[in-house]
Amino acid sequence: MGGEAGGLNKAAMASTPKEVLNWYLYFCSWIICTSGGMHGWNAANISGIMSMKDFKNSFHWSSYTSAELTNLTGWVTSIIVLGGVIGSLVSAPLNDVLGRKKTLIGSGALYLVGCIIQISTSSNINQVIGARALEGFAGGIGTVTGTMYVSEISPKAVRGLMGGFFSANTLLGIALGYWTNYGCLINVSPNSHWQWRIPLITQMIPGIFLVVFIPFVIESPRWLCMHGKGDKAHQQLAKLRRLPMDHDFVMQEYTDIAASIEADKDKNVSWFGLCRDLKNDTTLRRRFILVLLVQIGFNFSGGNSITYYETSILTTIGITGNSAYLFSSIYGMMKLGAGLFYPLVCAERFGRRKMLLFGGIVDVICTAYVAAYLGAANGQKPAGKAAVAALCIFAVGYGLSWSPVAFGLNGELFPNHLRAKIMSICLTLQYLVNFLLVRYFGNIAAGIGSDGPFILFSVVSAALLLYFFFALPETKGIALEHMDELFAGHSITNGLRSRKVHREANSLELQAQESFKEPIKVSPAVPEHIEGRV
């Protein structure tokens, strides 16, 4: 941490030309990461929408029994996550065949279709459920593609900053979803369809951004190299870095990518090949298991469940009516503030490991307190205010840890030829766990008490954070092609030997720089004008 200032990794920045941090890099990264807003907006607005008078009347809420209504609202809320499970699964072949750019444009278009279907209904709840499933499907594709895409175009010195934009966009969608609900509640008649339709219209914004602006973003140079388009990859990399194609920084970065893909060109990239590599490659298996556990922790932190059921949780604590909507909006802004603070200040200054452990511990304390308050059920006003404060502090901890780190690690740790497939598996698990928690949150609370979900969140999160303390090394400042070196030690000591591992990884990169002028055999992925410089 000493040598770093202003939120950047000073050691990595020392070898990064100033031209690399240009407006086009920030533009590309932010637009790619608006894919996170598709999920965030949908997650935030539905709880408030279902509590609006005209929505309940339009979809005949009063005709259902209490048990039926619990199940119905559970499906309306969670179906978007189930759609995300399927979307994240199919994202791997789409990304491998179509590329990151076309896949992300397609996900934005599908999302817009789902929004239009949902907006057009007036009384058919099944149409709402089907539309949200399609929106979730598009969001699942966008989540895998967006996090992978931005990690592949980012220079290593600011990869945490760029990757943090995805979480920031997700949290921005959550905040805007909450505030739109609140604005409609106080400004639109409760008897008007527009009170709940306006929030549904505004959630189209992320999809519009993707469809309109992604055509101006470069394709991933790594994907181009993997498909034998080395010349174009080199040109696109130079365009993104705002440097000449023969500049040493561009040449070194490109040849590092090309050499890595050259080394992997004979490997089996099928699902069978992935299973074989996971069996035979110890460092790959360690990374895979670690990221799977991070995705589980991301959901068991409670962040997603609280977002979906914010209004219901606040009612349990004693905050109802307009006050509940206002608090939800403030809660969303606190999440967003933390989500922006992470990439701008923390990602490259403190690193992923420290932020996950710090924010995760804060969240464990907060969920444990809320569980204790709900379990006591004494209704004391000071204790209730403290529970509300705990939720606010939780939002900050979540925005600084689980939210950005879960997506960032997923995009950083895996080799080029397997990245799409492994990320697809990891995010499918994330969506699946999220679906189960969101779908049955109400049932758990009804069955074992309102404190039950929060006890579960605090216990599981604490256990996983203990494991990450030992197993998770720091990834900042390391090129994607050298991530395997961070996991060369024992699976439960890599976290404790982070500094040593960083020195070893940096040493390997220096060796690679020294051998920069040594010739290698040219392949279709490596243009002839690079021969003799790789």
Side-chain angles (χ1 to χ4, degrees):
M1 187 167 74
E4 296 164 5
L8 295 177
N9 184 341
K10 199 170 183 179
M13 285 300 299
S15 60
T16 303
K18 63 181 181 180
E19 294 85 354
V20 171
L21 303 184
N22 58 77
W23 74 267
Y24 187 60
L25 172 66
Y26 287 100
F27 168 80
C28 290
S29 299
W30 186 263
I31 293 301
I32 289 169
C33 289
T34 56
S35 55
M38 292 191 291
H39 179 76
W41 215 304
N42 265 298
N45 64 13
I46 192 60
S47 178
I49 287 173
M50 289 194 297
S51 297
M52 292 178 178
K53 178 183 175 181
D54 187 74
F55 184 91
K56 291 191 284 188
N57 291 337
S58 296
F59 294 95
H60 315 296
W61 250 219
S62 60
S63 66
Y64 298 99
T65 66
S66 178
E68 289 172 341
L69 191 59
T70 297
N71 282 324
L72 181 61
T73 55
W75 278 110
V76 173
T77 303
S78 64
I79 193 65
I80 190 173
V81 189
L82 187 59
V85 171
I86 302 171
S88 57
L89 268 179
V90 304
S91 65
L94 291 176
N95 274 287
D96 284 341
V97 175
L98 299 178
R100 314 328 185 204
K101 188 171 180 176
K102 290 180 180 178
T103 301
L104 207 51
I105 293 173
S107 71
L110 281 175
Y111 177 78
L112 291 176
V113 171
C115 290
I116 292 169
I117 294 172
Q118 190 176 2
I119 294 164
S120 65
T121 186
S122 58
S123 60
N124 188 345
I125 196 64
N126 291 325
Q127 186 174 333
V128 173
I129 293 173
R132 283 179 59 78
L134 182 58
E135 292 162 10
F137 177 78
I141 296 173
T143 297
V144 175
T145 307
T147 51
M148 174 167 50
Y149 200 172
V150 75
S151 71
E152 290 183 342
I153 69 166
S154 300
K156 65 181 182 180
V158 291
R159 192 175 59 245
L161 169 62
M162 301 293 117
F165 287 166
F166 183 89
S167 173
N169 268 281
T170 302
L171 299 176
L172 177 62
I174 290 172
L176 292 176
Y178 283 144
W179 280 105
T180 304
N181 280 356
Y182 180 66
C184 289
L185 191 74
I186 62 175
N187 292 300
V188 182
S189 168
N191 298 314
S192 170
H193 290 328
W194 291 109
Q195 189 180 61
W196 55 270
R197 278 206 170 103
I198 290 174
L200 296 180
I201 292 171
T202 57
Q203 74 180 20
M204 297 174 70
I205 292 173
I208 293 172
F209 266 73
L210 292 176
V211 171
V212 173
F213 292 111
I214 286 294
F216 300 99
V217 175
I218 68 162
E219 179 57 88
S220 165
R222 287 174 168 85
W223 183 85
L224 291 170
C225 269
M226 287 188 290
H227 288 74
K229 300 178 181 179
D231 283 323
K232 187 173 182 181
H234 193 189
Q235 292 167 3
Q236 296 285 274
L237 191 62
K239 177 182 178 181
L240 183 64
R241 301 294 180 248
R242 287 298 191 259
L243 292 168
M245 290 178 64
D246 60 353
H247 190 283
D248 282 350
F249 184 86
V250 175
M251 296 294 293
Q252 180 182 327
E253 185 176 11
Y254 174 73
T255 51
D256 202 17
I257 294 170
S260 173
I261 292 171
E262 172 76 10
D264 293 336
K265 70 175 184 177
D266 295 325
K267 292 183 178 180
N268 188 341
V269 296
S270 67
W271 291 101
F272 174 79
L274 170 60
C275 293
R276 185 191 59 193
D277 285 356
L278 286 172
K279 177 183 176 182
N280 298 330
D281 187 336
T282 302
T283 65
L284 179 63
R285 186 168 63 250
R286 287 172 182 162
R287 286 176 276 170
F288 179 63
I289 292 172
L290 181 70
V291 173
L292 286 178
L293 291 175
V294 170
Q295 304 312 312
I296 292 172
F298 170 78
N299 285 297
F300 273 94
S301 68
N304 276 329
S305 297
I306 292 172
T307 296
Y308 282 106
Y309 288 99
E310 180 84 23
T311 305
S312 301
I313 293 169
L314 291 173
T315 300
T316 304
I317 292 176
I319 301 176
T320 59
N322 288 7
S323 297
Y325 284 83
L326 178 59
F327 175 82
S328 294
S329 302
I330 295 171
Y331 174 84
M333 289 302 296
M334 295 189 73
K335 262 187 174 182
L336 174 60
L340 289 171
F341 190 75
Y342 173 86
L344 296 175
V345 177
C346 303
E348 301 299 344
R349 179 170 184 155
F350 302 112
R352 291 54 147 172
R353 171 184 162 84
K354 288 179 181 178
M355 293 311 300
L356 178 60
L357 294 175
F358 168 74
I361 291 171
V362 168
D363 285 353
V364 167
I365 295 171
C366 291
T367 52
Y369 178 82
V370 173
Y373 169 76
L374 294 174
N378 52 27
Q380 292 183 7
K381 208 165 187 179
K385 289 182 177 179
V388 171
L391 287 177
C392 291
I393 297 170
F394 173 92
V396 174
Y398 179 80
L400 292 174
S401 58
W402 291 108
S403 181
V405 174
F407 291 113
L409 287 177
N410 197 33
E412 287 183 325
L413 293 185
F414 304 116
N416 291 309
H417 69 294
L418 295 174
R419 185 172 295 122
K421 287 184 173 62
I422 297 183
M423 287 186 66
S424 172
I425 294 172
C426 292
L427 286 171
T428 296
L429 177 68
Q430 183 200 109
Y431 271 106
L432 183 59
V433 175
N434 191 8
F435 167 74
L436 293 173
L437 285 174
V438 171
R439 171 62 187 85
Y440 295 106
F441 182 94
N443 300 80
I444 294 172
I448 63 175
S450 56
D451 60 330
F454 290 92
I455 294 173
L456 187 66
F457 296 152
S458 57
V459 170
V460 175
S461 295
L464 288 172
L465 289 170
L466 180 63
Y467 173 76
F468 297 147
F469 174 77
F470 292 101
L472 176 62
E474 182 51 63
T475 62
K476 67 174 182 178
I478 302 296
L480 297 180
E481 285 70 29
H482 295 287
M483 284 294 172
D484 57 334
E485 300 301 326
L486 296 176
F487 294 86
H490 193 280
S491 59
I492 60 170
T493 61
N494 285 321
L496 299 179
R497 56 191 293 272
S498 280
R499 290 187 179 180
K500 179 182 178 182
V501 173
H502 260 255
R503 287 196 298 268
E504 293 171 354
N506 288 331
S507 176
L508 284 173
E509 290 197 31
L510 288 173
Q511 291 175 26
Q513 292 175 23
E514 291 296 324
S515 61
F516 183 53
K517 296 183 180 180
E518 294 180 11
I520 66 167
K521 182 180 178 182
V522 177
S523 76
V526 185
E528 292 183 2
H529 66 273
I530 302 298
E531 185 178 15
R533 300 199 66 177
V534 181

PDB file of all heavy atoms in Angstrom, residues 203-226:
ATOM      1  N   GLN A 203     -36.217   1.722 -16.942  1.00  0.00           N
ATOM      2  CA  GLN A 203     -35.243   0.638 -16.841  1.00  0.00           C
ATOM      3  C   GLN A 203     -34.700   0.213 -18.209  1.00  0.00           C
ATOM      4  O   GLN A 203     -33.776  -0.603 -18.290  1.00  0.00           O
ATOM      5  CB  GLN A 203     -35.860  -0.574 -16.135  1.00  0.00           C
ATOM      6  CG  GLN A 203     -36.847  -1.364 -16.966  1.00  0.00           C
ATOM      7  CD  GLN A 203     -37.441  -2.558 -16.218  1.00  0.00           C
ATOM      8  OE1 GLN A 203     -37.414  -2.614 -14.990  1.00  0.00           O
ATOM      9  NE2 GLN A 203     -37.941  -3.520 -16.961  1.00  0.00           N
ATOM     10  N   MET A 204     -35.241   0.801 -19.289  1.00  0.00           N
ATOM     11  CA  MET A 204     -34.747   0.505 -20.635  1.00  0.00           C
ATOM     12  C   MET A 204     -33.418   1.205 -20.923  1.00  0.00           C
ATOM     13  O   MET A 204     -32.726   0.846 -21.883  1.00  0.00           O
ATOM     14  CB  MET A 204     -35.785   0.937 -21.673  1.00  0.00           C
ATOM     15  CG  MET A 204     -37.110   0.203 -21.598  1.00  0.00           C
ATOM     16  SD  MET A 204     -38.359   0.872 -22.730  1.00  0.00           S
ATOM     17  CE  MET A 204     -37.680   0.375 -24.317  1.00  0.00           C
ATOM     18  N   ILE A 205     -33.040   2.175 -20.110  1.00  0.00           N
ATOM     19  CA  ILE A 205     -31.864   3.006 -20.399  1.00  0.00           C
ATOM     20  C   ILE A 205     -30.583   2.196 -20.626  1.00  0.00           C
ATOM     21  O   ILE A 205     -29.868   2.439 -21.612  1.00  0.00           O
ATOM     22  CB  ILE A 205     -31.674   4.062 -19.287  1.00  0.00           C
ATOM     23  CG1 ILE A 205     -32.815   5.085 -19.349  1.00  0.00           C
ATOM     24  CG2 ILE A 205     -30.323   4.769 -19.416  1.00  0.00           C
ATOM     25  CD1 ILE A 205     -32.828   6.083 -18.206  1.00  0.00           C
ATOM     26  N   PRO A 206     -30.233   1.214 -19.774  1.00  0.00           N
ATOM     27  CA  PRO A 206     -29.000   0.457 -20.038  1.00  0.00           C
ATOM     28  C   PRO A 206     -29.017  -0.260 -21.390  1.00  0.00           C
ATOM     29  O   PRO A 206     -27.997  -0.287 -22.092  1.00  0.00           O
ATOM     30  CB  PRO A 206     -28.941  -0.542 -18.876  1.00  0.00           C
ATOM     31  CG  PRO A 206     -29.785   0.055 -17.810  1.00  0.00           C
ATOM     32  CD  PRO A 206     -30.870   0.791 -18.506  1.00  0.00           C
ATOM     33  N   GLY A 207     -30.163  -0.843 -21.754  1.00  0.00           N
ATOM     34  CA  GLY A 207     -30.252  -1.520 -23.040  1.00  0.00           C
ATOM     35  C   GLY A 207     -30.073  -0.564 -24.202  1.00  0.00           C
ATOM     36  O   GLY A 207     -29.418  -0.898 -25.206  1.00  0.00           O
ATOM     37  N   ILE A 208     -30.637   0.633 -24.091  1.00  0.00           N
ATOM     38  CA  ILE A 208     -30.484   1.643 -25.144  1.00  0.00           C
ATOM     39  C   ILE A 208     -29.013   2.030 -25.294  1.00  0.00           C
ATOM     40  O   ILE A 208     -28.494   2.149 -26.414  1.00  0.00           O
ATOM     41  CB  ILE A 208     -31.346   2.878 -24.822  1.00  0.00           C
ATOM     42  CG1 ILE A 208     -32.834   2.509 -24.906  1.00  0.00           C
ATOM     43  CG2 ILE A 208     -31.027   4.028 -25.781  1.00  0.00           C
ATOM     44  CD1 ILE A 208     -33.769   3.602 -24.410  1.00  0.00           C
ATOM     45  N   PHE A 209     -28.328   2.224 -24.178  1.00  0.00           N
ATOM     46  CA  PHE A 209     -26.907   2.575 -24.222  1.00  0.00           C
ATOM     47  C   PHE A 209     -26.092   1.498 -24.941  1.00  0.00           C
ATOM     48  O   PHE A 209     -25.215   1.807 -25.754  1.00  0.00           O
ATOM     49  CB  PHE A 209     -26.361   2.773 -22.799  1.00  0.00           C
ATOM     50  CG  PHE A 209     -26.391   4.203 -22.344  1.00  0.00           C
ATOM     51  CD1 PHE A 209     -27.590   4.822 -22.019  1.00  0.00           C
ATOM     52  CD2 PHE A 209     -25.229   4.944 -22.254  1.00  0.00           C
ATOM     53  CE1 PHE A 209     -27.628   6.143 -21.609  1.00  0.00           C
ATOM     54  CE2 PHE A 209     -25.249   6.268 -21.840  1.00  0.00           C
ATOM     55  CZ  PHE A 209     -26.453   6.873 -21.513  1.00  0.00           C
ATOM     56  N   LEU A 210     -26.374   0.238 -24.647  1.00  0.00           N
ATOM     57  CA  LEU A 210     -25.619  -0.848 -25.278  1.00  0.00           C
ATOM     58  C   LEU A 210     -25.851  -0.888 -26.781  1.00  0.00           C
ATOM     59  O   LEU A 210     -24.901  -1.003 -27.570  1.00  0.00           O
ATOM     60  CB  LEU A 210     -26.006  -2.191 -24.652  1.00  0.00           C
ATOM     61  CG  LEU A 210     -25.585  -2.423 -23.200  1.00  0.00           C
ATOM     62  CD1 LEU A 210     -26.116  -3.752 -22.699  1.00  0.00           C
ATOM     63  CD2 LEU A 210     -24.065  -2.391 -23.058  1.00  0.00           C
ATOM     64  N   VAL A 211     -27.091  -0.810 -27.195  1.00  0.00           N
ATOM     65  CA  VAL A 211     -27.421  -0.914 -28.616  1.00  0.00           C
ATOM     66  C   VAL A 211     -26.875   0.280 -29.398  1.00  0.00           C
ATOM     67  O   VAL A 211     -26.402   0.134 -30.528  1.00  0.00           O
ATOM     68  CB  VAL A 211     -28.952  -1.044 -28.802  1.00  0.00           C
ATOM     69  CG1 VAL A 211     -29.331  -0.934 -30.268  1.00  0.00           C
ATOM     70  CG2 VAL A 211     -29.445  -2.373 -28.237  1.00  0.00           C
ATOM     71  N   VAL A 212     -26.914   1.468 -28.806  1.00  0.00           N
ATOM     72  CA  VAL A 212     -26.513   2.683 -29.515  1.00  0.00           C
ATOM     73  C   VAL A 212     -25.005   2.880 -29.521  1.00  0.00           C
ATOM     74  O   VAL A 212     -24.420   3.262 -30.548  1.00  0.00           O
ATOM     75  CB  VAL A 212     -27.206   3.918 -28.896  1.00  0.00           C
ATOM     76  CG1 VAL A 212     -26.654   5.210 -29.506  1.00  0.00           C
ATOM     77  CG2 VAL A 212     -28.711   3.843 -29.116  1.00  0.00           C
ATOM     78  N   PHE A 213     -24.322   2.592 -28.395  1.00  0.00           N
ATOM     79  CA  PHE A 213     -22.922   2.988 -28.257  1.00  0.00           C
ATOM     80  C   PHE A 213     -21.903   1.859 -28.425  1.00  0.00           C
ATOM     81  O   PHE A 213     -20.749   2.135 -28.756  1.00  0.00           O
ATOM     82  CB  PHE A 213     -22.705   3.673 -26.901  1.00  0.00           C
ATOM     83  CG  PHE A 213     -23.386   5.004 -26.789  1.00  0.00           C
ATOM     84  CD1 PHE A 213     -24.464   5.184 -25.945  1.00  0.00           C
ATOM     85  CD2 PHE A 213     -22.952   6.083 -27.545  1.00  0.00           C
ATOM     86  CE1 PHE A 213     -25.104   6.409 -25.847  1.00  0.00           C
ATOM     87  CE2 PHE A 213     -23.583   7.320 -27.453  1.00  0.00           C
ATOM     88  CZ  PHE A 213     -24.667   7.478 -26.601  1.00  0.00           C
ATOM     89  N   ILE A 214     -22.285   0.609 -28.193  1.00  0.00           N
ATOM     90  CA  ILE A 214     -21.306  -0.475 -28.346  1.00  0.00           C
ATOM     91  C   ILE A 214     -20.720  -0.549 -29.757  1.00  0.00           C
ATOM     92  O   ILE A 214     -19.552  -0.908 -29.925  1.00  0.00           O
ATOM     93  CB  ILE A 214     -21.926  -1.838 -27.933  1.00  0.00           C
ATOM     94  CG1 ILE A 214     -22.053  -1.922 -26.417  1.00  0.00           C
ATOM     95  CG2 ILE A 214     -21.072  -3.005 -28.427  1.00  0.00           C
ATOM     96  CD1 ILE A 214     -20.728  -1.955 -25.661  1.00  0.00           C
ATOM     97  N   PRO A 215     -21.480  -0.207 -30.830  1.00  0.00           N
ATOM     98  CA  PRO A 215     -20.856  -0.201 -32.163  1.00  0.00           C
ATOM     99  C   PRO A 215     -19.617   0.678 -32.275  1.00  0.00           C
ATOM    100  O   PRO A 215     -18.794   0.479 -33.172  1.00  0.00           O
ATOM    101  CB  PRO A 215     -21.993   0.320 -33.066  1.00  0.00           C
ATOM    102  CG  PRO A 215     -23.246  -0.136 -32.390  1.00  0.00           C
ATOM    103  CD  PRO A 215     -22.947   0.012 -30.911  1.00  0.00           C
ATOM    104  N   PHE A 216     -19.447   1.651 -31.363  1.00  0.00           N
ATOM    105  CA  PHE A 216     -18.280   2.534 -31.403  1.00  0.00           C
ATOM    106  C   PHE A 216     -17.129   2.033 -30.527  1.00  0.00           C
ATOM    107  O   PHE A 216     -16.099   2.696 -30.425  1.00  0.00           O
ATOM    108  CB  PHE A 216     -18.693   3.938 -30.949  1.00  0.00           C
ATOM    109  CG  PHE A 216     -19.755   4.563 -31.809  1.00  0.00           C
ATOM    110  CD1 PHE A 216     -21.084   4.549 -31.412  1.00  0.00           C
ATOM    111  CD2 PHE A 216     -19.421   5.132 -33.031  1.00  0.00           C
ATOM    112  CE1 PHE A 216     -22.067   5.113 -32.211  1.00  0.00           C
ATOM    113  CE2 PHE A 216     -20.397   5.701 -33.836  1.00  0.00           C
ATOM    114  CZ  PHE A 216     -21.733   5.685 -33.435  1.00  0.00           C
ATOM    115  N   VAL A 217     -17.312   0.869 -29.919  1.00  0.00           N
ATOM    116  CA  VAL A 217     -16.289   0.272 -29.048  1.00  0.00           C
ATOM    117  C   VAL A 217     -15.507  -0.767 -29.835  1.00  0.00           C
ATOM    118  O   VAL A 217     -16.065  -1.477 -30.685  1.00  0.00           O
ATOM    119  CB  VAL A 217     -16.960  -0.372 -27.810  1.00  0.00           C
ATOM    120  CG1 VAL A 217     -15.940  -1.106 -26.949  1.00  0.00           C
ATOM    121  CG2 VAL A 217     -17.684   0.688 -26.991  1.00  0.00           C
ATOM    122  N   ILE A 218     -14.213  -0.897 -29.568  1.00  0.00           N
ATOM    123  CA  ILE A 218     -13.397  -1.888 -30.284  1.00  0.00           C
ATOM    124  C   ILE A 218     -13.768  -3.304 -29.844  1.00  0.00           C
ATOM    125  O   ILE A 218     -14.268  -3.516 -28.737  1.00  0.00           O
ATOM    126  CB  ILE A 218     -11.889  -1.665 -30.048  1.00  0.00           C
ATOM    127  CG1 ILE A 218     -11.513  -1.978 -28.577  1.00  0.00           C
ATOM    128  CG2 ILE A 218     -11.450  -0.275 -30.448  1.00  0.00           C
ATOM    129  CD1 ILE A 218     -10.043  -2.210 -28.356  1.00  0.00           C
ATOM    130  N   GLU A 219     -13.520  -4.275 -30.719  1.00  0.00           N
ATOM    131  CA  GLU A 219     -13.628  -5.678 -30.332  1.00  0.00           C
ATOM    132  C   GLU A 219     -12.429  -6.037 -29.461  1.00  0.00           C
ATOM    133  O   GLU A 219     -11.368  -5.408 -29.544  1.00  0.00           O
ATOM    134  CB  GLU A 219     -13.677  -6.565 -31.578  1.00  0.00           C
ATOM    135  CG  GLU A 219     -13.757  -8.068 -31.316  1.00  0.00           C
ATOM    136  CD  GLU A 219     -14.959  -8.463 -30.463  1.00  0.00           C
ATOM    137  OE1 GLU A 219     -16.037  -8.716 -31.007  1.00  0.00           O
ATOM    138  OE2 GLU A 219     -14.776  -8.495 -29.217  1.00  0.00           O
ATOM    139  N   SER A 220     -12.597  -7.028 -28.606  1.00  0.00           N
ATOM    140  CA  SER A 220     -11.503  -7.454 -27.732  1.00  0.00           C
ATOM    141  C   SER A 220     -10.315  -7.943 -28.561  1.00  0.00           C
ATOM    142  O   SER A 220     -10.461  -8.875 -29.369  1.00  0.00           O
ATOM    143  CB  SER A 220     -11.982  -8.590 -26.818  1.00  0.00           C
ATOM    144  OG  SER A 220     -10.882  -9.241 -26.216  1.00  0.00           O
ATOM    145  N   PRO A 221      -9.116  -7.345 -28.379  1.00  0.00           N
ATOM    146  CA  PRO A 221      -7.937  -7.825 -29.116  1.00  0.00           C
ATOM    147  C   PRO A 221      -7.625  -9.293 -28.824  1.00  0.00           C
ATOM    148  O   PRO A 221      -7.137 -10.015 -29.705  1.00  0.00           O
ATOM    149  CB  PRO A 221      -6.813  -6.911 -28.611  1.00  0.00           C
ATOM    150  CG  PRO A 221      -7.511  -5.670 -28.166  1.00  0.00           C
ATOM    151  CD  PRO A 221      -8.814  -6.134 -27.590  1.00  0.00           C
ATOM    152  N   ARG A 222      -7.918  -9.741 -27.620  1.00  0.00           N
ATOM    153  CA  ARG A 222      -7.663 -11.133 -27.281  1.00  0.00           C
ATOM    154  C   ARG A 222      -8.579 -12.062 -28.086  1.00  0.00           C
ATOM    155  O   ARG A 222      -8.150 -13.119 -28.547  1.00  0.00           O
ATOM    156  CB  ARG A 222      -7.829 -11.351 -25.774  1.00  0.00           C
ATOM    157  CG  ARG A 222      -6.687 -10.759 -24.954  1.00  0.00           C
ATOM    158  CD  ARG A 222      -6.928 -10.841 -23.459  1.00  0.00           C
ATOM    159  NE  ARG A 222      -5.730 -10.533 -22.709  1.00  0.00           N
ATOM    160  CZ  ARG A 222      -5.337  -9.304 -22.380  1.00  0.00           C
ATOM    161  NH1 ARG A 222      -6.057  -8.260 -22.746  1.00  0.00           N
ATOM    162  NH2 ARG A 222      -4.221  -9.119 -21.687  1.00  0.00           N
ATOM    163  N   TRP A 223      -9.850 -11.685 -28.243  1.00  0.00           N
ATOM    164  CA  TRP A 223     -10.755 -12.508 -29.050  1.00  0.00           C
ATOM    165  C   TRP A 223     -10.305 -12.509 -30.507  1.00  0.00           C
ATOM    166  O   TRP A 223     -10.331 -13.549 -31.171  1.00  0.00           O
ATOM    167  CB  TRP A 223     -12.186 -11.976 -28.946  1.00  0.00           C
ATOM    168  CG  TRP A 223     -13.160 -12.833 -29.703  1.00  0.00           C
ATOM    169  CD1 TRP A 223     -13.781 -13.959 -29.259  1.00  0.00           C
ATOM    170  CD2 TRP A 223     -13.605 -12.635 -31.057  1.00  0.00           C
ATOM    171  NE1 TRP A 223     -14.592 -14.485 -30.242  1.00  0.00           N
ATOM    172  CE2 TRP A 223     -14.503 -13.695 -31.361  1.00  0.00           C
ATOM    173  CE3 TRP A 223     -13.333 -11.688 -32.039  1.00  0.00           C
ATOM    174  CZ2 TRP A 223     -15.126 -13.821 -32.599  1.00  0.00           C
ATOM    175  CZ3 TRP A 223     -13.951 -11.805 -33.279  1.00  0.00           C
ATOM    176  CH2 TRP A 223     -14.833 -12.852 -33.545  1.00  0.00           C
ATOM    177  N   LEU A 224      -9.880 -11.363 -31.023  1.00  0.00           N
ATOM    178  CA  LEU A 224      -9.410 -11.283 -32.405  1.00  0.00           C
ATOM    179  C   LEU A 224      -8.194 -12.176 -32.615  1.00  0.00           C
ATOM    180  O   LEU A 224      -8.095 -12.887 -33.627  1.00  0.00           O
ATOM    181  CB  LEU A 224      -9.073  -9.834 -32.761  1.00  0.00           C
ATOM    182  CG  LEU A 224     -10.264  -8.871 -32.861  1.00  0.00           C
ATOM    183  CD1 LEU A 224      -9.780  -7.431 -32.973  1.00  0.00           C
ATOM    184  CD2 LEU A 224     -11.154  -9.230 -34.052  1.00  0.00           C
ATOM    185  N   CYS A 225      -7.270 -12.170 -31.671  1.00  0.00           N
ATOM    186  CA  CYS A 225      -6.081 -13.026 -31.775  1.00  0.00           C
ATOM    187  C   CYS A 225      -6.468 -14.498 -31.783  1.00  0.00           C
ATOM    188  O   CYS A 225      -5.919 -15.297 -32.552  1.00  0.00           O
ATOM    189  CB  CYS A 225      -5.127 -12.751 -30.610  1.00  0.00           C
ATOM    190  SG  CYS A 225      -3.892 -11.498 -30.948  1.00  0.00           S
ATOM    191  N   MET A 226      -7.416 -14.870 -30.925  1.00  0.00           N
ATOM    192  CA  MET A 226      -7.827 -16.268 -30.845  1.00  0.00           C
ATOM    193  C   MET A 226      -8.498 -16.740 -32.130  1.00  0.00           C
ATOM    194  O   MET A 226      -8.587 -17.940 -32.384  1.00  0.00           O
ATOM    195  CB  MET A 226      -8.767 -16.479 -29.652  1.00  0.00           C
ATOM    196  CG  MET A 226      -8.068 -16.437 -28.307  1.00  0.00           C
ATOM    197  SD  MET A 226      -9.138 -16.924 -26.926  1.00  0.00           S
ATOM    198  CE  MET A 226     -10.266 -15.547 -26.856  1.00  0.00           C
TER     199      MET A 226
END
